[in-house]
Amino acid sequence: MEIFLLVLFLLGLIALSNMINRLVFFIPVPLIQIALGMIVAVIPFGFEIPLSPDLFFVLFVAPLLFNDGKRIPRDELWNMRAPILLLALGLVFATMLAGGHVIHWLIPSIPMPAAYALAAILSPTDAVSVSAISGRIKLPKSIMRLLEGEALMNDASGLVAFKFAIAAMVTGSFSLGEAAASFLLIALGGLLCGAAAAFLIIRFRVFLRRYGIEDITMHMLLQILTPFAIYLIAEEIHVSGVLAVVAGGIVHAIERDRSESLTMKLQFVSASTWSVILFILNGLVFVILGLQIPSVLAAIFKDKAFNNVQVMGYIVVISLTLIVLRFLWVYLFSALVNREQNGRRFKAALLTSLSGVRGAITLAGAFSIPLFLDDGTLFPERSLIIFLSAGVILFTLIVASFILPLIPMEKTPQQKGQQSQEERLKQAKIQIMNAAVSAIKESMQEDNKAAAMTVITDYRRQLLHIRSEGSSTKEGAEVRAMTKRLHLYALAAERQTVKRLFEQGEIYPGAVRRVQFMLNQTELMLTNRVKYAAVLTVVVARKLIVKLMGHTKEALTDEDIRTLTEVKKQAAEAAVAAVEEITDKNNKSAALAVISHYHEMIERLNSGMHGRKKTHQSALDVKGIHIMAIQTERDEIQSLYEKGEITHGMANKLRMFSNFREASFFEEEEFA
């Protein structure tokens, strides 16, 4: 029960970290998660989770690197093989040798083999940390691909170098030739083992499908177990489990791209499931890292043999040494193979060096240092080595999070054109709507294809309208204000039509109330967003309470649907006529926007969406897809705001833009 509660608590911390990030988006989620872990570790009766390196690698590293292997573009990875290998192999060993000497010179109490071990475990960058910073910082694509490829490969080289350095420290003997041969065997063996295991697992899944075993849940379970199986098999035969899961992920990506055996439903379920798993694992990595830091700090700060200020200075010097070594390595290599301008080479090397974030893999490796040597004596300065590892991780994370954003990045063609705010707002509208269309396409299946295409068609129509809008900021603001006034004028015309039809006895009181309610909602949305949100909340809550009490809404008869449809059509036509009557050269743009809105409404009313041809299931499908698309828009708006691509004011305008279309859909949905 205690373990179950602990897991729930950790998941709660991950959720809390993301909520906090929404409020203070300038602080990256990993740092918030580390801070929450540290807070939990120091409070009375706080949780304590001993870090088991073996369990950490199989539970976290295996699935995360497997996913990275699946998603990284293979063509780009292959094209950048030379710089990736120079970083993942050459830089790791250069860091081990040069960094080891600096550490031993700085702290003579750490023997040379142990100093090499510390430098080796500090040399690999962390794929999880690199992914975490990439969402906030718009690094050039080539540098981002280089960092991702390096992070996939250098874990193995760093860990192997670390193990040999530890072995030399523990046993007192070391053979360079034996170490080189073992490294090649472990690395190549890991790649071959991972590829072979992945191929066999894929063949097994194909075999099951050929015999009619198409159960989505079972195939999804096999996918989840795959990275753990590959890692454990590789480690059992003493090759690199890290490289094995990377190779396994790449093989699975090739199979996914070339094979049509996977059903659309399985692909959709797989993407959704892995999204949740990776979200949880990424968060747990940093929370667990934060849980370890207080005990590591206490071991050093309470030890009178160490000067706390001096030890903190060690962390800064070692971190800067790693950054400088990385900068020199990248700059000198690029100078040899590229003939770009010196300033561009300098900036690329600076970005690459500051992006070399260390992560929990470094700390897990440090915790794997044995307590005793072969002669029975304590491993020298083990606590200090773990402390320095934790300090360097935090230092590199902070530098990447707060220094990198200060460096001006290469401007995109749109930025070079110095777009006006109105033009940027227009581009952002297109971007969020395209994101919604992409989300709809990803969720499309055979049973909801018709509903999905209906919503996509609506989005494409609106995208066409947005692209035709003017770009002047002042003119745009005037058009929006005029559009609002004309829309309210059109609503008044609708009300007059409904009143006339009622007085003529063509519609019954219930239909009047229903249509008037929809018109009131639209007017509230245009004039008072706060009140509209409150009314909408009350309506939704009332519907929920009615359902919970077991009551069902009285279904509309075919005659009711025909009546309401006809009333709404006549009201919309009256609105169009009223706006056309007062259209002149001063309000033409706004008038056309309002008229276009009503024409689209009439089109949909005539299309069968609200007539007898509209089944209950199709209505639910359209409604669900539309709600999902609107939520995607809001997520994209938040993402653009957090990345600094839009201002707070622009974000609010975009939210109003999404709210307006949501209200229009709500208005039509009342007929269902």
Side-chain angles (χ1 to χ4, degrees):
M1 187 67 179
E2 184 179 346
I3 295 177
F4 176 71
L5 292 175
L6 177 60
V7 171
L8 287 181
F9 184 75
L10 292 178
L11 294 178
L13 287 180
I14 295 171
L16 178 61
S17 67
N18 282 270
M19 287 187 277
I20 294 174
N21 182 248
R22 292 281 174 154
L23 300 176
V24 286
F25 63 89
F26 51 88
I27 300 178
V29 175
L31 286 180
I32 296 173
Q33 290 166 343
I34 291 173
L36 289 175
M38 293 174 65
I39 292 171
V40 170
V42 299
I43 61 176
F45 309 107
F47 293 102
E48 183 179 352
I49 304 179
L51 183 61
S52 170
D54 292 336
L55 180 61
F56 180 85
F57 281 114
V58 70
L59 187 58
F60 296 102
V61 175
L64 291 173
L65 290 186
F66 178 79
N67 177 72
D68 287 336
K70 283 201 305 181
R71 68 176 180 79
I72 192 168
R74 297 181 300 282
D75 293 341
E76 296 181 23
L77 189 67
W78 177 253
N79 292 335
M80 301 184 71
R81 60 190 181 278
I84 287 174
L85 288 175
L86 277 169
L87 287 176
L89 297 179
L91 180 58
V92 165
F93 295 119
T95 300
M96 176 183 173
L97 294 174
H101 282 282
V102 170
I103 291 170
H104 179 65
W105 168 78
L106 190 66
I107 315 171
S109 60
I110 299 180
M112 185 59 75
Y116 282 147
L118 175 56
I121 201 59
L122 290 175
S123 59
T125 53
D126 185 66
V128 179
S129 301
V130 169
S131 299
I133 67 168
S134 64
R136 299 182 64 254
I137 303 166
K138 298 287 287 184
L139 289 171
K141 185 179 179 181
S142 59
I143 293 179
M144 200 61 238
R145 290 289 178 254
L146 178 63
L147 292 171
E148 290 174 340
E150 176 199 12
L152 288 177
M153 306 294 292
N154 64 10
D155 288 335
S157 55
L159 288 171
V160 171
F162 169 75
K163 288 178 181 178
F164 278 112
I166 291 296
M169 183 68 218
V170 172
T171 63
S173 62
F174 176 75
S175 169
L176 180 60
E178 182 182 344
S182 296
F183 173 75
L184 289 175
L185 177 63
I186 291 171
L188 295 177
L191 291 171
L192 292 174
C193 175
F199 178 79
L200 291 175
I201 292 172
I202 290 170
R203 291 300 94 197
F204 176 67
R205 285 163 45 195
V206 172
F207 171 80
L208 293 177
R209 284 195 293 272
R210 283 177 180 172
Y211 279 85
I213 304 176
E214 294 280 356
D215 183 66
I216 298 295
T217 305
M218 189 204 65
H219 281 278
M220 193 62 244
L221 180 60
L222 288 176
Q223 282 193 24
I224 294 173
L225 294 175
T226 294
F228 304 109
I230 292 175
Y231 183 88
L232 291 173
I233 291 171
E235 289 295 315
E236 187 64 26
I237 61 176
H238 304 293
V239 294
S240 174
V242 171
L243 284 179
V245 291
V246 171
I250 293 174
V251 170
H252 272 76
I254 294 172
E255 187 267 347
R256 178 194 60 202
D257 295 342
R258 295 183 179 180
S259 173
E260 297 180 358
S261 59
L262 290 177
T263 64
M264 287 296 295
K265 187 174 182 181
L266 178 57
Q267 291 187 44
F268 176 69
V269 172
S270 176
S272 302
T273 304
W274 275 107
S275 175
V276 175
I277 291 174
L278 296 171
F279 174 80
I280 292 173
L281 291 180
N282 275 307
L284 285 175
V285 164
F286 292 106
V287 171
I288 291 175
L289 174 59
L291 288 169
Q292 309 306 314
I293 289 177
S295 61
V296 173
L297 296 177
I300 297 300
F301 288 165
K302 293 179 181 179
D303 192 335
K304 295 181 180 179
F306 298 104
N307 182 302
N308 294 339
V309 176
Q310 188 177 25
V311 172
M312 299 301 291
Y314 292 157
I315 291 174
V316 174
V317 173
I318 293 172
S319 300
L320 292 177
T321 300
L322 295 174
I323 293 173
V324 171
L325 282 172
R326 188 174 174 83
F327 173 83
L328 293 175
W329 185 270
V330 174
Y331 183 80
L332 293 176
F333 167 73
S334 60
L336 291 174
V337 299
N338 295 329
R339 296 186 177 181
E340 295 181 349
Q341 295 179 353
N342 186 61
R344 182 170 294 182
R345 285 202 309 271
F346 179 89
K347 185 175 181 180
L350 181 62
L351 291 173
T352 306
S353 59
L354 294 178
S355 303
V357 184
R358 276 65 181 179
I361 289 178
T362 293
L363 193 62
F367 269 103
S368 70
I369 296 175
L371 293 172
F372 300 97
L373 305 180
D374 278 357
D375 59 7
T377 59
L378 289 171
F379 194 100
E381 305 294 8
R382 182 179 185 273
S383 296
L384 179 60
I385 291 174
I386 296 174
F387 175 82
L388 294 175
S389 300
V392 171
I393 292 169
L394 287 176
F395 188 93
T396 54
L397 263 174
I398 291 171
V399 167
S401 300
F402 297 106
I403 304 300
L404 267 179
L406 301 179
I407 301 175
M409 303 295 173
E410 188 72 21
K411 291 185 176 180
T412 62
Q414 292 83 358
Q415 291 171 324
K416 289 178 179 179
Q418 295 183 340
Q419 294 176 313
S420 66
Q421 187 183 54
E422 186 68 20
E423 185 66 22
R424 181 66 195 103
L425 188 64
K426 175 181 173 181
Q427 293 300 323
K429 286 181 182 179
I430 295 173
Q431 187 170 340
I432 66 172
M433 294 186 76
N434 281 330
V437 171
S438 297
I440 296 170
K441 288 180 178 178
E442 288 177 5
S443 65
M444 189 187 301
Q445 300 175 34
E446 284 301 322
D447 55 352
N448 68 357
K449 188 173 182 179
M453 290 307 301
T454 298
V455 181
I456 288 175
T457 300
D458 186 52
Y459 267 94
R460 285 174 177 166
R461 188 187 299 117
Q462 294 180 62
L463 279 167
L464 185 63
H465 176 70
I466 291 170
R467 288 191 174 101
S468 65
E469 289 179 348
S471 61
S472 168
T473 303
K474 183 178 178 181
E475 179 185 343
E478 291 175 353
V479 169
R480 283 195 300 273
M482 180 62 71
T483 301
K484 179 179 175 180
R485 288 196 293 271
L486 289 177
H487 207 133
L488 292 173
Y489 182 77
L491 287 174
E494 286 193 73
R495 285 196 173 91
Q496 287 295 327
T497 300
V498 174
K499 181 180 178 182
R500 175 178 57 79
L501 290 172
F502 176 67
E503 290 175 347
Q504 293 174 354
E506 296 184 28
I507 56 175
Y508 55 93
V512 174
R513 288 194 298 271
R514 199 177 186 93
V515 176
Q516 290 287 3
F517 175 77
M518 290 185 288
L519 296 175
N520 290 339
Q521 297 307 299
T522 304
E523 184 175 7
L524 272 178
M525 183 275 300
L526 290 169
T527 58
N528 192 331
R529 274 298 308 168
V530 175
K531 189 174 180 181
Y532 167 73
V535 172
L536 190 59
T537 302
V538 171
V539 171
V540 173
R542 186 176 62 191
K543 289 183 177 180
L544 181 61
I545 292 171
V546 169
K547 287 184 179 180
L548 290 175
M549 293 178 64
H551 299 297
T552 57
K553 179 180 176 182
E554 185 179 348
L556 293 174
T557 64
D558 288 348
E559 185 62 33
D560 291 337
I561 293 174
R562 280 195 295 270
T563 300
L564 287 170
T565 301
E566 187 59 35
V567 169
K568 190 58 185 171
K569 281 173 57 179
Q570 289 191 38
E573 289 166 355
V576 170
V579 173
E580 286 178 342
E581 189 176 343
I582 62 170
T583 299
D584 55 32
K585 63 179 181 179
N586 296 321
N587 65 9
K588 187 174 182 179
S589 295
L592 288 176
V594 175
I595 292 170
S596 175
H597 166 75
Y598 278 103
H599 279 160
E600 288 173 10
M601 182 186 296
I602 295 169
E603 239 180 84
R604 285 193 289 268
L605 291 169
N606 289 328
S607 67
M609 287 294 295
H610 295 284
R612 290 179 176 179
K613 297 179 182 178
K614 180 180 179 183
T615 66
H616 180 64
Q617 185 58 47
S618 68
L620 290 177
D621 288 343
V622 171
K623 183 176 182 180
I625 292 171
H626 193 95
I627 290 172
M628 181 270 291
I630 291 292
Q631 186 56 49
T632 301
E633 288 186 38
R634 289 174 176 144
D635 292 341
E636 186 70 13
I637 293 169
Q638 183 66 24
S639 176
L640 291 173
Y641 177 52
E642 291 176 0
K643 292 176 182 177
E645 296 185 15
I646 57 174
T647 64
H648 180 71
M650 291 170 67
N652 285 336
K653 288 180 181 178
L654 289 171
R655 292 188 183 103
M656 281 289 294
F657 170 72
S658 293
N659 291 339
F660 174 80
R661 291 181 306 98
E662 183 183 32
S664 297
F665 178 78
F666 173 79
E667 176 183 347
E668 296 172 16
E669 188 60 28
E670 282 297 310
F671 283 119

